[in-house]
Amino acid sequence: MMLDALPTTHMESTPFPFPRALAVLLSVCLPAAAHAAPVMFTDYSDFYRSLGGALFPESGTSLAMPCTESPRQCLWATSMHQALRRYDQPLWTTPGDLPMTPPKGGLDVAFDGQALMVGARRWPMSRAVSLASPQWPSASETTIDPESLAAVTAWQRGTSVCLDMHYSSSGTAVRYTAVLLLHGERLYTLPPLFASCAGVREAPHGGFSYPSATYLGAEQENHPTGLQVDYVLSDGKTRVARYLLRFADQGDPYRFEATRSD
């Protein structure tokens, strides 16, 4: 179900004047729109995609982590070609399913903890535009140890590339995902709370908007009742939509009802 979808009404001819017809139509449609039933979700990617306009609508590509043996240096990549370009070492520990070159037309990306690489080009994290508030963990990080990551998934659409990087963590730390977005020749880091490349949406004039989530409830992260998810343009200031997510069970943030609040 599309949370942003609005009902459309086909009107042919009416036996009464147009102003009265408009009044009747509004009296029916406005209460329905104002009190739309919440939609239940059990996955944040499903929620984000239900909003429509995803910048990356297709499935992502899982990266693998090869490591040199001595000295040990690791990175996440779609091919050994990317790994060898970064570290010219004779001895490697290589995942068995990592091809030497990516399939024709496939992703050719790598992440070495310091930069995103697409083909032979490199975008350092130290120059990335941070769209995350300083209050969030990892918001100001300019390096990430590749071995601290449990999984990395990449998306590409045109010249835009996005990485979801999930940390090896437990407890509430699993709610934070490092997301790198390359768009319009600039590298961005997105707010990490329940972050996903699936949440990035198209915006006018070739731009994008992204979700910025904050906890609801007096105790915030300790016992949240839900989330407020604001969609913000890449200027980091302009809010274009707001959604309220209410947890069905206070201790389970992965089962929630979502409504648009503006």
Side-chain angles (χ1 to χ4, degrees):
M1 183 178 293
M2 302 282 288
L3 288 182
D4 286 351
L6 294 177
T8 57
T9 303
H10 176 70
M11 297 182 65
E12 295 179 354
S13 59
T14 59
F16 41 83
F18 178 75
R20 181 185 170 194
L22 180 61
V24 172
L25 178 63
L26 292 177
S27 68
V28 173
C29 292
L30 287 181
H35 302 287
V39 182
M40 180 66 71
F41 294 93
T42 57
D43 182 271
Y44 282 87
S45 292
D46 289 344
F47 161 63
Y48 294 137
R49 293 194 186 284
S50 77
L51 306 179
L55 183 59
F56 302 99
E58 306 297 332
S59 299
T61 299
S62 296
L63 277 61
M65 187 177 68
C67 297
T68 61
E69 293 189 7
S70 182
R72 185 173 175 85
Q73 297 168 310
C74 301
L75 79 167
W76 291 84
T78 54
S79 71
M80 274 304 297
H81 177 69
Q82 276 284 7
L84 294 171
R85 177 187 288 139
R86 180 65 180 90
Y87 300 119
D88 185 16
Q89 297 288 338
L91 298 176
W92 285 84
T93 300
T94 308
D97 58 350
L98 184 64
M100 181 56 67
T101 59
K104 186 176 181 180
L107 283 169
D108 183 21
V109 302
F111 176 73
D112 65 358
Q114 302 176 30
L116 168 67
M117 288 153 283
V118 181
R121 299 191 63 185
R122 188 170 183 268
W123 282 266
M125 287 184 63
S126 60
R127 299 180 186 174
V129 178
S130 177
L131 297 175
S133 300
Q135 71 187 75
W136 295 121
S138 76
S140 60
E141 286 186 355
T142 58
T143 62
I144 297 175
D145 179 2
E147 293 189 271
S148 71
L149 301 173
V152 178
T153 306
W155 283 260
Q156 184 169 14
R157 183 178 177 188
T159 59
S160 297
V161 175
C162 190
L163 294 186
D164 275 359
M165 299 184 288
H166 295 270
Y167 291 96
S168 300
S169 55
S170 60
T172 60
V174 300
R175 303 174 187 179
Y176 297 89
T177 305
V179 174
L180 287 181
L181 173 64
L182 175 64
H183 186 75
E185 293 295 314
R186 299 189 73 176
L187 187 64
Y188 299 85
T189 59
L190 303 189
L193 182 59
F194 296 110
S196 170
C197 293
V200 182
R201 300 169 72 185
E202 296 177 303
H205 311 296
F208 69 90
S209 64
Y210 62 92
S212 179
T214 54
Y215 285 112
L216 297 174
E219 297 185 63
Q220 295 293 292
E221 185 176 32
N222 293 329
H223 295 286
T225 59
L227 291 176
Q228 175 181 293
V229 179
D230 289 333
Y231 260 86
V232 184
L233 294 180
S234 57
D235 61 5
K237 302 174 183 178
T238 306
R239 177 167 61 87
V240 294
R242 172 171 288 174
Y243 302 90
L244 297 180
L245 280 53
R246 300 288 182 181
F247 301 152
D249 299 304
Q250 191 165 331
D252 182 5
Y254 296 97
R255 186 169 178 269
F256 54 89
E257 292 182 338
T259 56
R260 180 161 179 168
S261 68
D262 62 352

